[in-house]
């Protein structure tokens, strides 16, 4: 890899050290999982999830879901959910700039990443806190590149000095400072299309990007039981290009979710599953 800051610096990225184990930790037993699935299917079918995005409503309606155009709430028949979930791949590869650092997502293997996306950083020269900048993302990418326990790069802080295009600048900082896979949180159709073009350059072609996606994207749903407009826009663009998209639910017990863990599980599960059904 090369350093984009000041003079070029050349270093060797150490091999990845993922956690592999034959042990399995289970928080729910089979009966609890069955009850969770049944409750999720009931909520999806009877209550639904709000999709504030015309393209998503059209896709889901054409796919057999019940769409209320006035409220933008979609209800999901059980057979539609089951068909979509059956098509969802259980294992796939996240590509890296260097194929030696590709991540094969499969049972028994865990990868760690950097966490984000913060809005402040401690300046390494002054020791004072300030708004985070693109150069901080680049520094963190180099740290992630040098740590064998870190499997892929997720922006630890935001490039606030780059304004509305910060998410694309974070990609640029990462791609130029680590050979590992990059996962972003790109929002909106226009930004997503630019992100796909950037990832295509890294992969070499659209076909290579689809075979070994050098980019994945994380979208947050809105508890309770709603998706995000800009997130849906980017998710559809990414899915069209064959780029993996993850949906992340963050229900809060007693406020945006029921006060019980079981109820919060159902709300979160319904949000995530609804997003999967849309993309499949």
């Amino acid at each position: 890899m090369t350093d984009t800051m000041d003079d070029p610096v050349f270093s060797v990225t150490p091999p990845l050290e993922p956690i592999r184990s034959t042990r399995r930790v289970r928080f729910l037993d089979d009966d609890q999982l069955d009850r969770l699935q049944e409750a999720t299917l009931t909520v999806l079918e009877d209550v639904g999830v709000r999709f504030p995005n015309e393209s998503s409503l059209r896709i889901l309606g054409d796919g057999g879901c019940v769409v209320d155009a006035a409220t933008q709430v979609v209800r999901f028949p059980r057979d539609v959910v089951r068909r979509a979930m059956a098509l969802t791949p259980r294992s796939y590869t996240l590509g890296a700039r260097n194929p030696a650092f590709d991540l094969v997502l499969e049972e028994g293997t865990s990868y760690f990443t950097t966490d984000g996306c913060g809005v402040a950083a401690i300046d390494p020269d002054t020791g004072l806190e300030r708004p985070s900048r693109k150069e901080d993302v680049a520094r963190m990418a180099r740290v992630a590149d040098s740590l064998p326990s870190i499997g892929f790069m997720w922006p630890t802080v935001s490039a606030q000095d780059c304004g509305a295009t910060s998410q694309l600048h974070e990609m640029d900082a990462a791609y130029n400072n680590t050979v590992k896979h990059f996962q972003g949180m790109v929002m909106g159709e226009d930004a997503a299309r630019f992100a796909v073009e950037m990832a295509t350059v890294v992969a070499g072609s659209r076909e290579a990007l689809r075979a070994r996606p050098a980019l994945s994207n994380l979208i947050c749903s809105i508890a309770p039981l709603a998706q995000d407009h800009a997130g849906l826009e980017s998710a559809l663009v990414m899915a069209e290009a064959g780029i993996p998209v993850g949906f992340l639910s963050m229900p809060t017990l007693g406020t945006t979710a029921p006060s019980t863990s079981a109820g919060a599980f159902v709300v979160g599960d319904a949000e995530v599953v609804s997003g999967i059904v849309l993309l499949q």
Side-chain angles (χ1 to χ4, degrees):
M1 58 164 281
T2 60
D3 187 333
T4 61
M5 313 293 293
D6 302 321
D7 296 329
V9 176
F10 298 91
S11 62
V12 176
T13 306
L16 292 180
E17 295 179 359
I19 293 180
R20 293 187 172 91
S21 176
T22 58
R23 296 178 179 271
R24 299 185 64 181
V25 177
R26 297 193 61 180
F27 296 97
L28 302 177
D29 59 30
D30 287 340
D31 178 63
Q32 290 172 318
L33 288 172
D34 289 342
R35 289 160 58 195
L36 171 60
Q37 183 185 79
E38 176 63 24
T40 297
L41 290 171
T42 298
V43 168
L44 288 171
E45 188 168 45
D46 296 345
V47 181
V49 177
R50 185 170 182 265
F51 279 76
N53 176 271
E54 292 299 324
S55 296
S56 299
L57 295 176
R58 183 176 63 254
I59 292 169
L60 291 169
D62 291 344
C65 296
V66 180
V67 176
D68 186 325
T71 63
Q72 299 179 315
V73 171
V74 180
R75 297 198 304 275
F76 297 77
R78 292 176 180 233
D79 62 321
V80 173
V81 176
R82 293 188 186 277
R83 285 200 306 268
M85 295 301 288
L87 295 171
T88 305
R90 267 44 183 178
S91 177
Y92 54 90
T93 297
L94 297 179
R97 274 182 51 200
N98 182 340
F101 296 90
D102 285 0
L103 308 179
V104 180
L105 304 188
E106 57 187 355
E107 185 174 1
T109 303
S110 297
Y111 299 97
F112 288 96
T113 184
T114 50
D115 196 7
C117 183
V119 297
I122 301 299
D123 190 285
D125 297 320
T126 66
L128 300 177
E129 182 179 311
R130 56 163 172 73
S132 54
R133 302 194 289 247
K134 181 176 180 178
E135 65 187 84
D136 300 315
V137 181
R139 288 191 182 98
M140 201 61 233
R142 292 197 295 275
V143 172
D145 194 84
S146 67
L147 296 176
S149 60
I150 298 298
F152 61 100
M153 170 64 185
W154 193 33
T156 308
V157 292
S158 55
Q160 294 193 61
D161 55 331
C162 297
T165 59
S166 61
Q167 297 162 347
L168 300 176
H169 281 276
E170 289 156 15
M171 286 182 62
D172 177 69
Y175 279 141
N176 282 287
N177 287 280
T178 179
V179 298
K180 297 178 180 179
H181 177 81
F182 175 77
Q183 182 171 92
M185 296 184 71
V186 178
M187 303 288 282
E189 180 177 356
D190 291 341
R193 295 200 182 281
F194 283 121
V196 169
E197 289 301 319
M198 293 171 67
T200 301
V201 171
V202 172
S205 68
R206 286 296 179 97
E207 295 73 22
L209 179 65
R210 187 173 292 273
R212 291 180 48 254
L215 170 67
S216 58
N217 208 48
L218 196 61
I219 301 299
C220 291
S221 55
I222 302 175
L225 300 175
Q227 299 290 349
D228 179 83
H229 171 72
L232 291 173
E233 283 189 337
S234 61
L236 292 175
V237 170
M238 300 283 185
E240 184 179 22
I243 291 173
V245 176
F247 285 87
L248 174 63
S249 176
M250 297 182 288
T252 302
L253 277 70
T255 55
T256 58
S259 58
T260 63
S261 295
F265 273 143
V266 174
V267 168
D269 200 33
E271 291 171 8
V272 171
V273 170
S274 72
I276 294 174
V277 173
L278 168 68
L279 298 190
Q280 291 305 129

